[in-house]
Amino acid sequence: MKVTGYAYPWDVVDDPGFVERVRELGVDEVAVAVSYHSARAATPWSPERTSVVARHAALYRPVRDEAWGELKPAEPDWVESRDSAGDAVRTLTEAGIPAAAWIVLTHNSQLGTEFPDFTVRNCFGERYPWALCPGVPAVREYAANVTAESLAGLDFATVILEACGPLGAVHQHQHEKTDGVWSPAVARLLSICCCDDCLDAWVAAGQDPAKALGKLRAEVRRLIDSGDLRATEDKILPTLRQVLLDTRQNATDALRRAVLEKIPSGPRIVLHGAMDPWVTGALPGLTPSAPDDVDAVVLQNWAPGRPSVGAVEAARAKLPEKVAVGSYITAVAASPVPDIEAYTTELGKAGATELHLYHLGLAGPGRWADLIAAVSAAQEL
């Protein structure tokens, strides 16, 4: 299995032991966060601090005014360099370690707060400031510009696209207090975007937006009132279902095309995604045309067990042979994987040929053995 380890720019440039430690670990490449959302990131290898507080989404490359349209990312003032991602990539390149560009696209709470009309709006009219809507032309232009500016002047072996599609109702937002409250069906219905651009697409498909919104709201209310947390949306809104999915997928395809136009030939294109087309978030559902555009699809397999292994098997069976299947696993979960070596082996046997390993900076001395075990298992497959 090809092994990609993920890291933040400060993990590479602020830690003099990073390169040697990663070289000994034996990963094939390091994915550096070039455009990233807000976070409080632990720095267990630093002797001077315990964390970096990234207060808002930011681009870790120089932000040139002339490169942007209506939407422009913020610069991070919690790093010393205006080009900390570039510094990290150059450090890795000089050490002979291939670098991947880890680019987060539609997850930006700062821009979503500043430009609410460009965010996902649910059927109750509530905005999700963390979720820029791919159906909005300005958002697609922004994503394309982020990609171009992220890659400019640097040598990348791989480009990894995260949040290359819609985010929904359930995602990181301050202190999240929705987990386990809504059934999966409610969460998915609340993740359907009803912004003006998406409503225009409904009209083009022959739907009355007012009636469609009324149906959505009524169905959400019915499911909430029923108290059934096991309800699914499989049989919900049969007359609307295909129109809603087509609207989402058309917008996602348009976003991805705009982004791919900015990527020069050469790097591998890796897409974070899910086989279920209704999934939203950092790894959104694949559209039918997505596999034609990428070299690999990475699934989130953070929770060990049969569902994750089955997802890999399903992906390998459905995706074209030319598209690699990657498994995204974590060594820094609150509840560690009981046997990460065995789990990695299981994912490989299920059809994953890439291991995406989270996280080379967050995993400190207490978790480094798990990274070693995972890489060792991957190298034996």
Side-chain angles (χ1 to χ4, degrees):
M1 297 175 78
K2 177 183 177 69
V3 181
T4 299
Y6 288 63
Y8 301 129
W10 52 84
D11 295 324
V12 183
V13 299
D14 292 349
D15 178 4
F18 181 88
V19 166
E20 189 58 35
R21 191 166 57 250
V22 168
R23 184 183 283 120
E24 291 177 358
L25 182 62
V27 300
D28 295 295
E29 64 182 5
V30 174
V32 177
V34 185
S35 169
Y36 202 68
H37 52 73
S38 58
R40 177 172 175 245
T43 55
W45 295 100
S46 173
E48 299 177 352
R49 59 185 176 185
T50 63
S51 65
V52 169
V53 179
R55 299 185 311 281
H56 51 73
L59 179 67
Y60 293 88
R61 301 296 315 280
V63 178
R64 304 179 304 118
D65 289 339
E66 64 272 20
W68 303 95
E70 191 167 5
L71 295 177
K72 183 178 77 170
E75 291 189 271
D77 61 9
W78 49 89
V79 290
E80 294 184 3
S81 170
R82 292 190 70 222
D83 191 15
S84 59
D87 294 340
V89 170
R90 286 183 284 269
T91 296
L92 292 169
T93 301
E94 290 171 5
I97 300 173
W102 177 15
I103 305 175
V104 176
L105 295 168
T106 60
H107 185 186
N108 191 315
S109 298
Q110 184 177 47
L111 287 179
T113 299
E114 186 177 352
F115 297 92
D117 288 347
F118 295 166
T119 61
V120 171
R121 180 177 68 196
N122 72 19
C123 58
F124 289 87
E126 299 164 320
R127 292 285 184 176
Y128 299 152
W130 59 89
L132 299 177
C133 177
V136 179
V139 171
R140 298 196 292 269
E141 180 189 20
Y142 162 77
N145 290 337
V146 165
T147 303
E149 293 298 290
S150 292
L151 303 179
L154 296 177
D155 183 19
F156 288 106
T158 303
V159 176
I160 299 173
L161 303 176
E162 179 178 318
C164 189
L167 277 79
V170 180
H171 202 70
Q172 298 168 358
H173 179 63
Q174 299 174 342
H175 292 280
E176 191 66 58
K177 300 295 182 182
T178 64
D179 294 345
V181 176
W182 295 321
S183 70
V186 169
R188 294 198 183 196
L189 289 178
L190 288 176
S191 297
I192 293 169
C193 187
C194 308
C195 74
D196 290 345
D197 289 276
C198 289
L199 291 183
D200 287 345
W202 298 4
V203 172
Q207 291 293 323
D208 181 328
K211 291 182 179 179
L213 283 171
K215 289 180 181 179
L216 275 170
R217 285 193 292 264
E219 190 60 20
V220 171
R221 193 69 257 173
R222 182 188 71 79
L223 288 168
I224 291 175
D225 291 343
S226 74
D228 184 359
L229 295 180
R230 295 172 295 179
T232 67
E233 78 289 355
D234 293 344
K235 298 181 180 179
I236 292 171
L237 305 169
T239 60
L240 274 178
R241 185 177 175 83
Q242 195 59 49
V243 170
L244 299 175
L245 183 58
D246 286 347
T247 299
R248 172 179 289 179
Q249 292 188 330
N250 289 339
T252 300
D253 284 339
L255 176 81
R256 189 178 64 257
R257 285 194 297 268
V259 166
L260 293 177
E261 286 178 357
K262 300 297 184 177
I263 302 176
S265 60
R268 297 171 64 250
I269 308 299
V270 175
L271 182 65
H272 282 196
M275 298 306 295
D276 183 341
W278 288 97
V279 170
T280 57
L283 294 84
L286 298 181
T287 70
S289 64
D292 297 331
D293 294 339
V294 301
D295 297 296
V297 169
V298 176
L299 309 178
Q300 187 171 48
N301 297 138
W302 285 23
R306 183 60 206 169
S308 289
V309 174
V312 171
E313 292 172 341
R316 184 64 283 161
K318 293 179 181 178
L319 291 172
E321 190 62 33
K322 73 177 185 67
V323 178
V325 176
S327 283
Y328 197 18
I329 70 171
T330 179
V332 295
S335 298
V337 178
D339 189 340
I340 200 168
E341 185 172 6
Y343 181 45
T344 301
T345 299
E346 194 175 11
L347 292 168
K349 290 181 177 179
T353 54
E354 296 190 15
L355 182 69
H356 288 247
L357 198 54
Y358 191 91
H359 183 284
L360 301 181
L362 299 176
R367 295 290 182 91
W368 199 254
D370 279 352
L371 296 185
I372 294 173
V375 173
S376 175
Q379 291 173 340
E380 292 179 2
L381 289 165

